[in-house]
Amino acid sequence: MAGGNEVNLNECKRIVPLNTWVLISNFKLAYTLLRRPDGSFNRDLAEFLDRKVPANSFPVDGVFSFDHVHTSTNLLTRIYLPAPLDPSRHGAVDLTEPLSTTDVVPVLVFFHGGSFTHSSANSAIYDTFCRRLVSICGVVVVSVDYRRSPEHRYPCAYDDGWNALKWVKSRIWLQSGKHSQVYVYLAGDSSGGNIAHNVAVRAASEGVKVLGNILLHPMFGGLERTQSEKRLDGKYFVTVQDRDWYWRAYLPEGEDRDHPACNPFGPRGQSLEGVNFPKSLVVVAGLDLVQDWQLAYVDGLKKSGHHVNLLYLKQATIGFYFLPNNDHFHCLMDELTKFVHSIDEDSQTKSSPILLTPLQHDEV
Amino acid sequence: MKREHSHRETSSVKVDSSSMTANKEEAGGFDELLVVLGYKVRSSDMADVAHKLEQLEMVLDDGISHLSDDTVHYNPSDLSGWVDSLLFDLNPTCDQVKPDQDSEYELSAIPGSAAYPPGKRTRTGSDSPTTTTTTRSMVVLDSQETGVRLVHALLACAEAVQQNNLKLADVLVKHVGLLASSQAGAMRKVATYFAEGLARRIYRIYPHDDVGLSSFSDTLQIHFYESCPYLKFAHFTANQAILESFATAEKVHVIDLGLNQGLQWPALIQALALRPGGPPDFRLTGIGSSLTGQSIQEVGWKLGQLANAVGVNFEFKSIVLNSLSDLKPEMLEIRTGSESIAVNSVFELHRLLAHPGSIDNILFTIKSIKPDIITVVEQEADHNGSVFLDRFTESLHYYSSLFDSLEGPPSQDRVMSELYLGRQILNLVACEGEDRVERHETLVQWRNRFSMGGFKPVNIGSYAYKQASMLLALYAGADGYKVEEHEGCLLLGWQTRPLIATSAWRLNRVG
């Protein structure tokens, strides 16, 4: 055992910067402590260990934030906006005016990851990421909390996501453009990506307009063990065993991984053909063992006739976007920026599906 | 272009031109990218921490999930310390932890928790004073979106007051009154108090000095204690830290810097009574202000009755002062060498900031009696800035959250609690100079003050956190209360807004 693991750990440490490795290994260790073999979860310790940060209505590096709590659910939503140009308005929050009456300002409804179980909108890793999205990609971000497993299983997270979308759509202060609309993109990493997909399906069926989906190594799976799962098991922070645990915690008791929530284009999945589904940007980390499922998802979307951009980051591990100290981070931000700003309000042009890979820097 | 390799000590090679923080190290040597994510790891320790994480991973396969239920965790931000303590817990015979002056200080278990190794609870690593940007954490609740106009009106009035444009302020304060009357619930009540504060400031009808109404404010505090969990949390978390500090000491002495009705002590007395191995001799010194001298004795007597009933030897002394600043070490009659000492302060210290030098006096007195632990609970807010408008805005948001948490079916407790808090608002808004005693400061500010004053933190850990969460679930009912851990301290807040903070300290014996 020791020999094999040592090789794996060293390989992993070579691929990512040291501080990234420390960060993600810390999570891996902490999460292992929290998951119990019987399927229960040490929620108290999880909340104790989670590093949280408050919102700040004073701008920091050009971005300010404030919280909204839905009193019926006690679920947090944190809103991130670019700082007002007028310094005298710093520290205050105006909920009476739209974002703009001339320009279109994309609003990203962001569902944080954590395999349906971990983290919150006010977790430091997600707060920091959302701030960077605002300052780098020129968007407004609405980061949404959802009820987590194992305490709350499917379909709670999707219901909460759907309610959040409706709430966002109805805020005057998130409207922009000449037609006073809220221009929404759904986004999420890991389980958040899965939620974004499912909320988009619901939105399509209920006639709520979503301009695009951004899925950052989304969490999908299936009964079958794919090549990438076998090849990468335990090698880059993630194990098949922990993926299984999280699916058991999220899916209804007694269900297996071919449940459509886990495997949307699998044997029990519903077809999206003819559905008014938004265009998608799917980001896959080349060292993520879930990638075969993510690529199958991309495939499934294409076969249903939907536009999808795949950003395949060959040497990226999960969580590469938590620290801006690598090329993948910048590549992601570039693609994301292009994706949300490629729509013109009047001409409604869409981007065509292309496979994007960054320059293979490590092969130079 | 080669990507950075893992053996580098610094955080990154490539400078991210579009990122908000340059990849430079902070003055304290902490990796800046990890700091914003909540972790303080010195760049020079990064490789060592990585190595220890690898060691822990080796053990992962052996099934360490039992660790989470038995182990008490402290200060997760100090990754190096956290990893060290996990390694120690897995391999107690190994000499992992550097011995420091606490090594004679074996802490034994309070009911339910595991014994923890020396040096674990105090870390000298991250004691450097932190500088932070100003934070204003705003929580908007569904009900408050319509109250935005009211908030704007209040702020406009406060600004007029700040600019000494009293004519305009007068007009605006009346406008606020009108808007407030059409609001409902917490927003209306808060606005009314803040408007009253502004009006008093404009017309120079200042609120009475609080001293003359001490017994009334004691009564109000009891209602506040009953109607919401803030005081209970304060007492509970401070008591946990005190209990852990007392460990197996045979004689213990608690000095309460503000006894009031002694609400904190029955629980501690009962916990001491249940201590494995039997209770210690318990001595309580209660400090109060001049006009409550009579009732302090009564409080002491009642506590004595309780102590007798549960078989704890009890001794009580009262000290009556005009100000805590007048407290001298000799008044406390310390029995050096034979008693374990705890100094406890719940919402007392901020009042001393109204008088220059007072806080230094009390800290000096505390230091000279060499307590084993000092527990401090304070409001988590920046209400002592030099600019009136800033104080006004901060406190408006603070008390909005606080009042919101009180909302519910009407009761006498609640009404009195609102009055209790309302008096704080009036003091904060209408008073100045030595009369303005509600000078709340943030945990970061208190941390700096204590660090500079020669104290070091005693971390409050996951056991206390869990117990506090359970307590909240029992008493608070509403889901909105949240406990957070922040670098060894515990904070209680409403929704995402922290409102009170408990920290613990001991003397920094080095130098």
Side-chain angles (χ1 to χ4, degrees):
Chain A
M1 174 218 95
N5 275 358
E6 268 165 29
V7 168
N8 296 338
L9 294 173
N10 287 337
E11 176 61 34
C12 186
K13 267 173 90 178
R14 269 202 290 275
I15 289 285
V16 299
L18 188 58
N19 52 359
T20 304
W21 191 89
V22 164
L23 178 77
I24 304 186
S25 299
N26 158 64
F27 288 139
K28 178 180 164 183
L29 173 64
Y31 293 179
T32 308
L33 297 178
L34 300 170
R35 295 190 299 267
R36 298 198 191 100
D38 66 357
S40 65
F41 185 72
N42 192 339
R43 182 61 67 189
D44 279 322
L45 183 59
E47 292 301 299
F48 176 83
L49 293 174
D50 191 24
R51 308 290 79 203
K52 297 195 199 292
V53 294
N56 192 353
S57 59
F58 286 118
V60 175
D61 295 325
V63 181
F64 76 100
S65 61
F66 68 94
D67 288 340
H68 185 285
V69 177
H70 303 263
T71 44
S72 51
T73 58
N74 275 314
L75 286 173
L76 166 68
T77 299
R78 180 165 287 180
I79 298 103
Y80 303 82
L81 297 148
L85 291 169
D86 177 6
S88 71
R89 290 176 54 206
H90 289 184
V93 169
D94 185 357
L95 301 177
T96 56
E97 297 295 316
L99 296 167
S100 167
T101 47
T102 50
D103 301 331
V104 166
V105 181
V107 175
L108 244 70
V109 177
F110 180 79
F111 302 102
H112 68 79
S115 309
F116 294 104
T117 302
H118 299 279
S119 297
S120 306
N122 59 344
S123 297
I125 43 169
Y126 286 110
D127 183 87
T128 307
F129 180 64
C130 289
R131 288 175 158 275
R132 288 176 179 146
L133 281 174
V134 174
S135 70
I136 299 173
C137 306
V139 296
V140 164
V141 175
V142 179
S143 184
V144 174
D145 263 351
Y146 48 89
R147 284 167 292 166
R148 298 167 298 186
S149 53
E151 299 95 321
H152 301 103
R153 295 171 177 269
Y154 164 93
C156 292
Y158 300 158
D159 291 343
D160 295 338
W162 168 241
N163 287 330
L165 175 60
K166 286 190 291 186
W167 182 81
V168 164
K169 276 282 191 178
S170 61
R171 298 304 104 189
I172 301 172
W173 43 274
L174 288 174
Q175 288 173 354
S176 62
K178 293 184 283 238
H179 308 300
S180 298
Q181 299 285 308
V182 182
Y183 291 91
V184 170
Y185 289 82
L186 297 173
D189 67 317
S190 167
S191 53
N194 179 302
I195 295 171
H197 165 77
N198 281 279
V199 171
V201 170
R202 179 93 184 255
S205 75
E206 305 234 11
V208 174
K209 189 168 173 190
V210 171
L211 293 169
N213 275 4
I214 297 147
L215 272 53
L216 242 180
H217 58 60
M219 187 170 158
F220 294 117
L223 261 181
E224 185 197 332
R225 297 301 190 196
T226 61
Q227 275 303 308
S228 64
E229 284 168 313
K230 293 180 206 169
R231 181 168 44 94
L232 295 169
D233 189 6
K235 296 227 164 73
Y236 297 97
F237 308 114
V238 184
T239 64
V240 169
Q241 192 183 41
D242 73 59
R243 294 297 98 200
D244 286 353
W245 190 98
Y246 291 113
W247 284 118
R248 271 197 305 275
Y250 178 64
L251 295 170
E253 309 231 27
E255 276 287 357
D256 66 37
R257 290 186 306 277
D258 275 342
H259 186 284
C262 179
N263 195 355
F265 291 109
R268 295 162 58 189
Q270 63 175 108
S271 171
L272 287 181
E273 264 182 77
V275 170
N276 188 13
F277 198 75
K279 64 175 183 176
S280 300
L281 170 63
V282 180
V283 182
V284 176
L287 298 174
D288 182 357
L289 59 82
V290 178
Q291 65 187 271
D292 283 354
W293 293 112
Q294 294 155 353
L295 294 168
Y297 172 79
V298 169
D299 224 43
L301 281 181
K302 282 194 205 161
K303 288 196 173 111
S304 317
H306 297 297
H307 295 270
V308 52
N309 294 4
L310 167 64
L311 177 59
Y312 186 85
L313 298 166
K314 189 171 167 196
Q315 292 289 79
T317 64
I318 54 122
F320 69 85
Y321 45 88
F322 287 137
L323 296 168
N325 59 1
N326 58 85
D327 295 329
H328 311 302
F329 175 91
H330 301 294
C331 196
L332 165 68
M333 291 307 191
D334 285 345
E335 289 308 319
L336 216 155
T337 307
K338 285 189 273 191
F339 187 73
V340 300
H341 293 294
S342 68
I343 183 152
D344 180 78
E345 194 182 348
D346 292 321
S347 67
Q348 301 275 305
T349 50
K350 292 181 188 171
S351 55
S352 44
I354 34 174
L355 182 69
L356 304 162
T357 47
L359 290 172
Q360 302 300 327
H361 295 291
D362 49 291
E363 287 164 18
V364 169
Chain B
M1 191 209 85
K2 286 236 163 62
R3 197 170 299 109
E4 51 275 33
H5 289 288
S6 58
H7 301 295
R8 283 181 188 274
E9 303 257 348
T10 53
S11 57
S12 169
V13 173
K14 176 177 169 163
V15 173
D16 174 19
S17 56
S18 56
S19 85
M20 303 181 304
T21 54
N23 291 339
K24 294 193 291 284
E25 292 172 16
E26 256 186 24
F30 295 123
D31 181 298
E32 200 167 83
L33 290 183
L34 291 185
V35 164
V36 298
L37 302 184
Y39 296 100
K40 285 187 164 160
V41 184
R42 291 186 198 282
S43 303
S44 52
D45 287 341
M46 195 72 67
D48 181 55
V49 172
H51 177 63
K52 285 171 179 160
L53 281 167
E54 280 178 312
Q55 284 182 291
L56 282 165
E57 275 191 65
M58 300 288 186
V59 185
L60 268 179
D61 293 343
D62 297 345
I64 59 167
S65 57
H66 68 273
L67 208 64
S68 69
D69 288 303
D70 294 346
T71 313
V72 182
H73 300 256
Y74 295 92
N75 194 1
S77 287
D78 174 16
L79 250 185
S80 182
W82 184 66
V83 163
D84 274 342
S85 57
L86 283 180
L87 275 172
F88 189 96
D89 284 323
L90 287 168
N91 196 359
T93 55
C94 188
D95 188 26
Q96 297 276 7
V97 179
K98 293 189 281 288
D100 63 16
Q101 60 268 32
D102 294 2
S103 50
E104 82 278 8
Y105 190 46
E106 271 296 327
L107 298 172
S108 67
I110 49 175
S113 72
Y116 24 86
K120 183 171 176 175
R121 292 177 64 229
T122 54
R123 290 276 150 217
T124 50
S126 38
D127 282 356
S128 53
T130 43
T131 51
T132 50
T133 51
T134 323
T135 303
R136 178 172 296 159
S137 148
M138 283 188 53
V139 185
V140 178
L141 300 152
D142 317 34
S143 49
Q144 286 175 358
E145 280 193 55
T146 55
V148 168
R149 276 176 64 210
L150 177 53
V151 170
H152 287 172
L154 275 165
L155 295 177
C157 183
E159 191 169 3
V161 167
Q162 158 119 329
Q163 289 162 353
N164 215 25
N165 186 347
L166 297 181
K167 266 193 159 167
L168 173 61
D170 181 41
V171 168
L172 288 170
V173 82
K174 287 170 179 144
H175 181 55
V176 167
L178 267 170
L179 284 175
S181 62
S182 65
Q183 274 294 299
M187 205 55 235
R188 193 190 79 248
K189 292 170 201 164
V190 171
T192 306
Y193 278 116
F194 276 87
E196 183 187 337
L198 285 168
R200 284 177 175 277
R201 208 177 169 99
I202 295 167
Y203 301 119
R204 294 168 211 241
I205 310 170
Y206 301 113
H208 289 294
D209 187 343
D210 205 37
V211 174
L213 297 167
S214 273
S215 58
F216 182 50
S217 69
D218 274 357
T219 310
L220 292 183
Q221 201 187 64
I222 294 174
H223 288 287
F224 181 66
Y225 179 89
E226 290 300 329
S227 70
C228 52
Y230 299 104
L231 270 181
K232 294 186 190 101
F233 173 86
H235 295 166
F236 179 80
T237 48
N239 284 347
Q240 284 293 120
I242 293 171
L243 271 171
E244 286 186 26
S245 165
F246 282 167
T248 50
E250 286 177 5
K251 293 182 195 302
V252 305
H253 181 189
V254 170
I255 299 158
D256 189 355
L257 299 187
L259 185 68
N260 297 307
Q261 294 297 305
L263 296 168
Q264 182 169 348
W265 307 118
L268 184 73
I269 293 170
Q270 279 160 344
L272 289 172
L274 291 171
R275 196 175 71 167
D281 292 340
F282 178 58
R283 192 176 147 214
L284 176 65
T285 301
I287 299 169
S289 78
S290 323
L291 278 106
T292 59
Q294 188 69 358
S295 66
I296 290 189
Q297 284 300 331
E298 273 179 47
V299 171
W301 185 83
K302 282 190 205 155
L303 288 171
Q305 295 293 100
L306 167 66
N308 287 337
V310 296
V312 176
N313 288 343
F314 181 76
E315 216 186 300
F316 180 77
K317 176 189 161 117
S318 66
I319 300 178
V320 169
L321 299 168
N322 284 330
S323 159
L324 271 178
S325 172
D326 300 335
L327 184 68
K328 301 276 180 290
E330 48 274 17
M331 295 175 183
L332 296 164
E333 295 176 340
I334 299 297
R335 296 160 197 173
T336 318
S338 75
E339 59 184 10
S340 189
I341 303 169
V343 176
N344 181 78
S345 165
V346 175
F347 302 141
E348 291 294 335
L349 292 183
H350 64 264
R351 306 170 72 85
L352 294 174
L353 298 175
H355 310 256
S358 287
I359 192 77
D360 298 316
N361 288 347
I362 188 66
L363 288 180
F364 179 80
T365 299
I366 291 172
K367 269 164 73 173
S368 36
I369 62 170
K370 296 187 171 40
D372 296 279
I373 194 161
I374 304 138
T375 45
V376 178
V377 185
E378 283 290 329
Q379 290 89 345
E380 175 60 8
D382 182 8
H383 295 161
N384 197 24
S386 52
V387 178
F388 170 73
L389 183 56
D390 290 344
R391 293 200 306 268
F392 186 89
T393 314
E394 288 299 323
S395 54
L396 181 58
H397 293 306
Y398 180 86
Y399 284 98
S400 293
S401 281
L402 202 34
F403 270 72
D404 205 76
S405 72
L406 291 175
E407 281 296 287
S411 70
Q412 196 197 22
D413 277 338
R414 211 184 97 201
V415 170
M416 301 296 248
S417 300
E418 287 164 2
L419 191 50
Y420 172 80
L421 296 173
R423 281 147 63 86
Q424 291 178 5
I425 294 171
L426 292 179
N427 182 273
L428 228 155
V429 175
C431 296
E432 277 305 336
E434 301 201 338
D435 291 332
R436 177 161 60 90
V437 293
E438 296 300 343
R439 292 178 181 254
H440 313 143
E441 291 195 347
T442 62
L443 181 59
V444 169
Q445 289 168 294
W446 285 110
R447 255 208 273 264
N448 279 350
R449 194 173 276 113
F450 273 89
S451 294
M452 299 299 193
F455 300 90
K456 64 182 189 185
V458 174
N459 291 331
I460 304 175
S462 59
Y463 180 78
Y465 178 95
K466 180 174 175 169
Q467 298 296 305
S469 300
M470 281 166 54
L471 172 88
L472 282 174
L474 273 177
Y475 286 105
D479 277 329
Y481 292 102
K482 299 268 188 277
V483 185
E484 273 181 30
E485 189 279 350
H486 193 269
E487 292 191 67
C489 306
L490 293 188
L491 294 97
L492 174 62
W494 175 250
Q495 305 299 356
T496 52
R497 171 71 214 241
L499 293 170
I500 66 173
T502 303
S503 60
W505 304 86
R506 54 180 293 134
L507 287 172
N508 194 351
R509 288 180 198 145
V510 177

